[in-house]
Amino acid sequence: MQANPVVWFEIYVQDMDRARAFYETVFDCRLEALGAPDGEAGGMQMLAFPSEMECAGAPGAAGTLVKMDGVPSGPGGTMVYFSCEDCAVEQGRVVGAGGSVFRPKFSIGPYGHAALVTDTEGNMIGLHSMA
């Protein structure tokens, strides 16, 4: 396995417009429509986070919000942590975007800081920063 082994993630949602508004507000970015993989278009919508797919071996992972028939969103799945300059900034946008703060910014010792928040679809995500 290579260092930083995650290369892709999907966050499942029930209401794409609501989820898009949450993530675009919290991370101050624009999500772009991504075509579903061949043979998967039925009942699937995808919005991609900003990424540079040509940067093979670079740290970080590309990913999307996905709305797919029969796939629930919510707690209990994989936790995705988003890199931030100061996770308190993004945490400060969460409630206004319709989410909630589960655990405000806290120290993780020499590994920086983290915050745990819940999006509008019930998914818990992590925010990580060294500051």
Side-chain angles (χ1 to χ4, degrees):
M1 179 183 312
Q2 298 179 8
N4 298 329
V6 175
V7 298
W8 185 259
F9 65 88
E10 295 177 347
I11 299 173
Y12 291 95
V13 306
Q14 300 306 304
D15 184 318
M16 186 62 86
D17 292 334
R18 179 178 64 199
R20 175 184 216 155
F22 175 84
Y23 284 93
E24 287 184 343
T25 298
V26 170
F27 294 111
D28 192 25
C29 69
R30 176 133 174 86
L31 302 180
E32 299 292 334
L34 183 68
D38 290 341
E40 294 290 329
M44 178 185 256
Q45 291 176 280
M46 300 173 79
L47 290 176
F49 287 90
S51 65
E52 294 184 30
M53 296 300 288
E54 292 78 32
C55 295
T64 62
L65 297 180
V66 177
K67 182 177 185 315
M68 186 182 332
D69 293 344
V71 179
S73 58
T78 300
M79 175 79 79
V80 176
Y81 282 81
F82 289 86
S83 178
C84 308
E85 289 291 320
D86 178 351
C87 61
V89 172
E90 287 79 4
Q91 174 191 305
R93 298 180 187 138
V94 167
V95 172
S100 62
V101 177
F102 179 79
R103 185 167 180 199
K105 183 179 176 180
F106 59 96
S107 173
I108 51 175
Y111 305 106
H113 294 85
L116 302 177
V117 302
T118 304
D119 72 8
T120 55
E121 309 306 295
N123 298 302
M124 186 175 296
I125 61 169
L127 308 173
H128 175 265
S129 63
M130 290 308 294

